[in-house]
Amino acid sequence: MMHVPFYSLDYVERDLGSSLGESVDAVIKSNWYIRGSRCTAFEEAFAAYCGKKACVGVGNGLDALTLMLKASIILGRLAEGDEVIVPANTFVATVLAVRAAGLVPVLVEPDPETCNLDVARLADACSEKTRAILVVHLYGRLADMPAICEFAKAHDLQVFEDAAQAHGAVLAGGVPSVAAAYSFYPTKNLGAMGDGGAVVTDDLELAQVVRSLGNYGSEQKYVNKYAGVNSRLDEIQAAILLAKLPHLDAWNNRRREIAARYCAEIKNPQVRLTPLPANPNAHVWHVFPVFCERRDELQEFLKARGIETLVHYPIPPHLQEAFVGAVACGELRHGALPLTEEQARTELSIPMGPSLTDDQVAYVVESINAFI
């Protein structure tokens, strides 16, 4: 029996060798650990990689989302109490960030094929209080940004991105959002060796406010312009990310190769897959989800064959205990969400990542097809 881990970081050492240790050692010898030259270099490199003018490193992905929205409030583009459309099937951090900024999340069902925000449902979700859409590129697949941005323009809404799972996913011509928030959690396509996050944008004014908010609200030491927080990408994490960034495209291409095999070779009629996108570059396959009515049985079957899996996500935000009061008092708004609940009940994430060998991929395919 073969063992197939859900995700392994072995590929990092394989591809970078001793360079990561050397990068960390250089930071230690510099005696400068917060907002130094490595952070500046990474911010410049990642902004260029994303095709944007500015990148601001912060403490984690949740902070990136929250500070992006709070900066928009400070600049008068949003106001506390405004409604923000959010996919109902997202990770809880997206909803937490909207609420932490003093805004009201409005949960909208996904497209059942792509699992991303269903553009056809946006009009029904809007009210006179709706001011923005926070798009989530779930599993690494870019949402239908041209259609979303067209709708937003017609309804005078701002568009923000939760790109925590979509490092390196691109559309021809770029994405005209206000800003995108990234997470550098260790298992992300571009991950640190600890927590980290960033806001990427063409809006230099927004970037400056985000930078200040993450530094206690200060632009000048001991002068606090805003009521900020302590959320900064440290030099060691920035050095690690800077070393990894040149390898990201190759790692994403390996993910695409694995996804193409899964999509072509998994033939079990009980298992539904999300299709390959027309533009391969629009998906980086952070997660490879399958959907099965007998999800728990399938998971146990694969476990018995040495294959690790995870569920993303077993409880959708609107059913979390933390939000019961918010729903009751209108601080989180949604209608019936049967597609979101079905996805939570049937989703299973199978192994995906650059460390997977061709033999392991074949074994996963064979095992899923053997599930009766």
Side-chain angles (χ1 to χ4, degrees), residues 73-134:
I73 293 173
I74 286 172
L75 291 170
R77 301 165 187 180
L78 297 173
E80 290 191 14
D82 284 349
E83 293 183 350
V84 179
I85 291 174
V86 177
N89 59 325
T90 186
F91 178 57
V92 70
T94 319
V95 179
L96 288 171
V98 175
R99 297 200 66 230
L103 303 166
V104 177
V106 179
L107 303 183
V108 175
E109 289 268 66
D111 178 319
E113 184 174 85
T114 67
C115 300
N116 277 330
L117 187 65
D118 189 345
V119 180
R121 298 175 183 270
L122 291 177
D124 290 340
C126 283
S127 77
E128 68 280 357
K129 296 181 180 180
T130 307
R131 295 292 180 271
I133 303 171
L134 178 51

Side-chain angles (χ1 to χ4, degrees), residues 295-303 309-311 348:
R295 188 264 310 282
D296 295 345
E297 293 175 59
L298 174 60
Q299 186 173 37
E300 286 301 315
F301 177 81
L302 295 177
K303 180 180 179 182
T309 59
L310 289 177
V311 175
L348 185 67

Side-chain angles (χ1 to χ4, degrees), residues 114-361:
T114 67
C115 300
N116 277 330
L117 187 65
D118 189 345
V119 180
R121 298 175 183 270
L122 291 177
D124 290 340
C126 283
S127 77
E128 68 280 357
K129 296 181 180 180
T130 307
R131 295 292 180 271
I133 303 171
L134 178 51
V135 181
V136 179
H137 305 307
L138 196 65
Y139 307 139
R141 179 191 291 265
L142 291 184
D144 188 352
M145 293 303 290
I148 290 170
C149 290
E150 181 180 352
F151 178 89
K153 185 176 180 180
H155 293 78
D156 195 25
L157 305 178
Q158 296 192 71
V159 177
F160 300 89
E161 299 173 76
D162 180 341
Q165 300 181 1
H167 313 73
V170 294
L171 287 178
V175 176
S177 66
V178 174
Y182 287 87
S183 165
F184 301 125
Y185 186 78
T187 58
K188 301 297 186 186
N189 292 37
L190 179 64
M193 290 188 170
D195 272 323
V199 175
V200 177
T201 182
D202 280 330
D203 187 331
L204 298 182
E205 187 178 22
L206 180 76
Q208 183 55 51
V209 176
V210 169
R211 188 177 300 281
S212 297
L213 284 173
N215 191 40
Y216 301 100
S218 174
E219 295 179 4
Q220 178 183 347
K221 194 169 185 178
Y222 303 131
V223 179
N224 300 84
K225 188 173 182 179
Y226 313 113
V229 297
N230 177 10
S231 182
R232 302 171 295 199
L233 182 66
D234 71 66
E235 286 288 281
I236 287 179
Q237 302 305 336
I240 289 166
L241 293 167
L242 194 58
K244 284 185 169 186
L245 183 58
H247 300 268
L248 178 57
D249 286 343
W251 293 338
N252 283 343
N253 285 335
R254 176 55 181 162
R255 289 173 181 270
R256 292 185 182 109
E257 290 174 0
I258 296 167
R261 283 199 62 186
Y262 280 158
C263 288
E265 299 174 25
I266 294 176
K267 300 293 186 181
N268 191 323
Q270 297 183 85
V271 178
R272 180 176 68 83
L273 311 181
T274 59
L276 295 169
N279 172 12
N281 293 328
H283 203 328
V284 292
W285 300 98
H286 173 62
V287 166
F288 192 97
V290 302
F291 300 89
C292 179
E293 288 293 330
R294 298 166 57 205
R295 188 264 310 282
D296 295 345
E297 293 175 59
L298 174 60
Q299 186 173 37
E300 286 301 315
F301 177 81
L302 295 177
K303 180 180 179 182
R305 294 175 69 99
I307 299 171
E308 297 177 2
T309 59
L310 289 177
V311 175
H312 294 89
Y313 302 97
I315 305 174
H318 71 285
L319 296 180
Q320 295 285 357
E321 184 179 354
F323 298 131
V324 171
V327 173
C329 66
E331 293 177 358
L332 189 156
R333 186 165 69 81
H334 64 84
L337 299 170
L339 295 176
T340 296
E341 293 174 16
E342 178 187 5
Q343 181 176 319
R345 181 176 55 82
T346 61
E347 194 274 345
L348 185 67
S349 301
I350 62 177
M352 169 56 74
S355 286
L356 281 179
T357 66
D358 288 343
D359 287 344
Q360 287 175 323
V361 173

